[in-house]
Amino acid sequence: MNIYCPNCNFKYEIDDTKIPDGGVDVKCSSCQSIFSITPKTALYIKNSDQVIYTASSPDEIIDWIKERRVLREFEFSRDKTNWIKLEEIPQYKELFDKITLSVPTQKPQIPEEEKFTFTQSQKFTPNPSNSVASTQKLNQIKYNDYDDSKIESISLHSLPKRKKGIWYFLIFLIIVAAVAFFKKDLILEYFNKLKNSSTITATEDLYSEGVNKFKKYDPPALKDAITNFNKYIKDNPKHIYSIAYRALAVEFQLFFLYYEIDFNKNLRKLIEKIGDNDRVSIQDIDKNIELYTKEFESLKKEMQPYALMGTALDPKQFYVIVSMAMYSFYMENEGDFNKYRKEAESLKPDDEFVSFLDILNKTRSDENLIESLKDLSKRYPSFIPFKYLLAQYYFMEGKYEAASVRMESIIPFQKNHSLAVSQIDILEFLMKNEKLLENKADDKEIKNTTNENKEDTNTTKTDQENKVEKETPKETNEKKVEVELSFEQLMASADKAFERGQSKTAYNNYKKALQKKQSAKAASQMGWILYDWGNLDSSASYFKQAISIDPDYSDAYLGAGEAYFANEEKENAKKYFQLFLQKNPNSPEANIAKDRLKKL
């Protein structure tokens, strides 16, 4: 079933079976307004030939009975499984009793005047005398004897029924032609309205598709979203949501371009250290920097009219305020940026866009935003800019594995995200060459020893060589034995890797530790890592495993709630958030659980 938000016309496809009989209140993800929806109930009628017909309501079945389209022996059902005869339902039985629906068993009787039965005695035989008399009368009539004064005036009532119908039809055509001639402007306007109404659904789909493309937060998709919004605004020039989203689409393109330029500049320094390779060349990086910089400057000019158009229509609309805040940020107008940021916060303090504006504000300082971004990525798992920015911070710190994992966590929410796919490939290349980057020494630090040191080395060379020869052990065929780490060592190693953002290493060590000993912490940490990777089902399983190991381990309840919340399993999310608050009502994370419960 397709439904449209009554406020912004955003289109949703909803499964009828999941809507309660009494209806339900829903919240539009586009404009945040709340409205009610009710299920479309279907009723089924099965005839004696087992053919099933669908009625939209009981009133339609009543109309069918009155029209004698269904019989009392036909069967009725709501689910196509349990059937009952219509005559067994009181409201329909009463109607059947009033209306005779039985099929006649005999042919209808023909009235006496219409009977034509011929017997042998009634056969027609011409009367010669009558025929002669008729011929004589005809011969006596002359043309000159024709008296037109005897002609009676013709009226519609005196005409036969067939001719009367033709006359009525001709009169009707004359009236229609007259109305069409004198009211042609109104008629043309009516047909234009009909033509326009047929395009309403298509235009609404343009807006809905534009919002869906925008929420992919991928530069190519953002460009397509702008195209959709432009087409929609052409027919709906005052649709504030389309105007605001169009401005935001341009501004998020600027956000990604800014960090792509920064990423390529840092990558260039690393490739200079690695040297020539088949994967990344300095020439390609320079071309990317030049291309992104030109596009960035071009979009800054394009951004202004889009942003200002929204304020002219509705300066207090939330998305307009957010777009103006981002516009002020990229125009480097700090005063306006802070003003709009605070206005947005006063309207929706818990919104993802407000949190994003707060992060933009903090990027101006040297503050390390990794912890803040990790928390926001958990709170708003589908908001890709948080994951993307977190990966950039890990990259700048040289934590390539952590950066790669954060980029990979984007893929479950947006398959084939252009920036994520591209950077994952480059980050894996850097991980392979990480040792080379760490061990690469600066040529200036390499110095030759002095001549005196050389002489000293030469004088003692023989003695030193003899000493080394004596101390060097003989080669043996014995294989080196790998040292197996204890549970405590594996947990300590996993914790360190987790803190450094090396989630793959941490995951493997937690898994090994869990195999050695049942640990609620190990299972819970694996749950959080899988949550960050976007594997929500497995994440919830590990959190529940942690609870089964230690029912008092409260962190696992919070994690299970977050995993179910991100997976839109509302009942399970509600259950685990409530259990977490029972275990830890005064913990710092209690506010997160309370906020989630409000949204549920």
Side-chain angles (χ1 to χ4, degrees), residues 285-533:
I285 294 172
D286 289 339
K287 284 180 183 177
N288 286 340
I289 292 171
E290 184 181 358
L291 178 67
Y292 294 151
T293 305
K294 285 181 180 177
E295 194 173 351
F296 185 84
E297 294 302 325
S298 173
L299 280 173
K300 278 182 75 172
K301 294 175 184 176
E302 185 181 341
M303 173 178 60
Q304 183 176 7
Y306 286 174
L308 297 179
M309 190 182 294
T311 56
L313 287 173
D314 187 357
K316 297 298 181 184
Q317 209 279 331
F318 177 73
Y319 294 108
V320 171
I321 293 169
V322 173
S323 73
M324 283 304 298
M326 291 185 70
Y327 166 73
S328 304
F329 178 83
Y330 287 111
M331 296 305 291
E332 299 179 2
N333 188 333
E334 188 175 351
D336 283 351
F337 170 71
N338 288 326
K339 181 186 80 171
Y340 288 119
R341 181 172 62 85
K342 289 174 182 176
E343 278 186 35
E345 188 176 5
S346 66
L347 291 174
K348 295 183 180 181
D350 297 326
D351 191 85
E352 56 196 19
F353 284 108
V354 172
S355 298
F356 181 72
L357 293 177
D358 186 51
I359 286 292
L360 281 184
N361 186 43
K362 290 177 181 177
T363 56
R364 297 179 177 189
S365 65
D366 295 330
E367 183 181 349
N368 189 321
L369 299 179
I370 286 178
E371 291 304 319
S372 298
L373 287 167
K374 281 169 68 176
D375 178 60
L376 290 170
S377 295
K378 290 178 182 177
R379 191 179 302 176
Y380 307 107
S382 62
F383 193 76
I384 289 172
F386 289 140
K387 298 179 187 292
Y388 174 85
L389 192 55
L390 180 55
Q392 302 311 305
Y393 271 87
Y394 277 131
F395 171 72
M396 286 185 280
E397 290 192 356
K399 297 176 180 178
Y400 308 126
E401 183 186 342
S404 176
V405 167
R406 292 300 169 175
M407 281 298 180
E408 286 173 0
S409 70
I410 291 173
I411 302 300
F413 296 96
Q414 176 50 40
K415 191 177 180 181
N416 299 323
H417 190 279
S418 63
L419 300 181
V421 171
S422 171
Q423 287 200 22
I424 287 169
D425 192 25
I426 293 171
L427 289 164
E428 286 178 353
F429 170 77
L430 293 175
M431 286 160 62
K432 290 177 183 177
N433 293 274
E434 194 166 4
K435 288 184 180 179
L436 182 63
L437 290 168
E438 290 174 356
N439 297 330
K440 195 80 172 177
D442 192 351
D443 291 340
K444 293 180 182 179
E445 294 178 0
I446 301 173
K447 296 182 181 179
N448 293 326
T449 57
T450 60
N451 292 331
E452 291 178 0
N453 289 337
K454 282 183 181 179
E455 290 174 3
D456 292 339
T457 305
N458 290 333
T459 56
T460 58
K461 183 176 181 181
T462 306
D463 295 335
Q464 291 291 336
E465 284 177 354
N466 292 333
K467 189 177 180 181
V468 169
E469 286 175 5
K470 289 178 183 178
E471 292 179 356
T472 302
K474 293 180 181 180
E475 290 183 5
T476 63
N477 293 326
E478 292 179 6
K479 294 180 181 178
K480 291 183 179 178
V481 180
E482 238 180 75
V483 179
E484 189 175 347
L485 298 177
S486 65
F487 169 79
E488 289 76 13
Q489 288 172 324
L490 285 168
M491 287 297 292
S493 176
D495 289 340
K496 284 182 182 178
F498 186 80
E499 288 171 6
R500 292 172 184 166
Q502 298 172 340
S503 54
K504 286 183 180 177
T505 305
Y507 180 84
N508 291 331
N509 284 337
Y510 283 129
K511 190 173 182 180
K512 290 176 183 177
L514 193 59
Q515 289 169 352
K516 285 183 173 291
K517 181 181 175 181
Q518 291 292 297
S519 166
K521 180 182 177 182
S524 183
Q525 290 295 85
M526 288 175 72
W528 283 116
I529 292 169
L530 288 166
Y531 176 87
D532 288 340
W533 292 352

Side-chain angles (χ1 to χ4, degrees), residues 140-416:
Q140 291 173 2
I141 297 174
K142 295 181 180 179
Y143 181 76
N144 292 334
D145 295 336
Y146 184 77
D147 187 2
D148 58 1
S149 64
K150 294 180 181 180
I151 298 176
E152 295 180 1
S153 61
I154 299 174
S155 69
L156 288 178
H157 297 288
S158 64
L159 289 173
K161 288 183 178 179
R162 187 174 179 183
K163 290 185 178 179
K164 190 186 295 184
I166 293 170
W167 272 101
Y168 280 133
F169 180 69
L170 288 173
I171 292 169
F172 172 75
L173 287 179
I174 292 168
I175 293 170
V176 169
V179 171
F181 179 77
F182 291 107
K183 300 291 184 180
K184 58 184 177 182
D185 292 337
L186 290 174
I187 293 169
L188 286 172
E189 184 181 349
Y190 172 75
F191 280 108
N192 283 333
K193 284 181 180 178
L194 282 179
K195 184 179 177 182
N196 292 334
S197 66
S198 65
T199 62
I200 288 174
T201 304
T203 5
E204 287 172 347
D205 287 345
L206 275 175
Y207 168 71
S208 301
E209 287 172 12
V211 174
N212 288 331
K213 287 174 182 176
F214 170 83
K215 290 188 176 181
K216 292 179 179 180
Y217 296 105
D218 189 14
L222 289 170
K223 288 179 182 178
D224 291 341
I226 291 169
T227 303
N228 278 58
F229 292 134
N230 282 335
K231 289 178 182 178
Y232 189 82
I233 291 167
K234 186 178 179 181
D235 295 325
N236 305 272
K238 293 186 178 181
H239 191 262
I240 192 65
Y241 291 99
S242 296
I243 292 168
Y245 270 120
R246 181 178 64 176
L248 285 169
V250 175
E251 289 153 1
F252 272 101
Q253 278 185 289
L254 284 169
F255 165 76
F256 287 117
L257 280 170
Y258 176 85
Y259 282 99
E260 283 298 298
I261 293 168
D262 194 56
F263 177 84
N264 277 272
K265 286 179 178 178
N266 288 317
L267 179 62
R268 192 183 195 284
K269 295 174 184 177
L270 296 172
I271 299 303
E272 284 176 351
K273 290 182 180 180
I274 294 171
D276 294 335
N277 62 86
D278 297 332
R279 175 61 190 86
V280 187
S281 70
I282 290 176
Q283 290 80 6
D284 289 340
I285 294 172
D286 289 339
K287 284 180 183 177
N288 286 340
I289 292 171
E290 184 181 358
L291 178 67
Y292 294 151
T293 305
K294 285 181 180 177
E295 194 173 351
F296 185 84
E297 294 302 325
S298 173
L299 280 173
K300 278 182 75 172
K301 294 175 184 176
E302 185 181 341
M303 173 178 60
Q304 183 176 7
Y306 286 174
L308 297 179
M309 190 182 294
T311 56
L313 287 173
D314 187 357
K316 297 298 181 184
Q317 209 279 331
F318 177 73
Y319 294 108
V320 171
I321 293 169
V322 173
S323 73
M324 283 304 298
M326 291 185 70
Y327 166 73
S328 304
F329 178 83
Y330 287 111
M331 296 305 291
E332 299 179 2
N333 188 333
E334 188 175 351
D336 283 351
F337 170 71
N338 288 326
K339 181 186 80 171
Y340 288 119
R341 181 172 62 85
K342 289 174 182 176
E343 278 186 35
E345 188 176 5
S346 66
L347 291 174
K348 295 183 180 181
D350 297 326
D351 191 85
E352 56 196 19
F353 284 108
V354 172
S355 298
F356 181 72
L357 293 177
D358 186 51
I359 286 292
L360 281 184
N361 186 43
K362 290 177 181 177
T363 56
R364 297 179 177 189
S365 65
D366 295 330
E367 183 181 349
N368 189 321
L369 299 179
I370 286 178
E371 291 304 319
S372 298
L373 287 167
K374 281 169 68 176
D375 178 60
L376 290 170
S377 295
K378 290 178 182 177
R379 191 179 302 176
Y380 307 107
S382 62
F383 193 76
I384 289 172
F386 289 140
K387 298 179 187 292
Y388 174 85
L389 192 55
L390 180 55
Q392 302 311 305
Y393 271 87
Y394 277 131
F395 171 72
M396 286 185 280
E397 290 192 356
K399 297 176 180 178
Y400 308 126
E401 183 186 342
S404 176
V405 167
R406 292 300 169 175
M407 281 298 180
E408 286 173 0
S409 70
I410 291 173
I411 302 300
F413 296 96
Q414 176 50 40
K415 191 177 180 181
N416 299 323

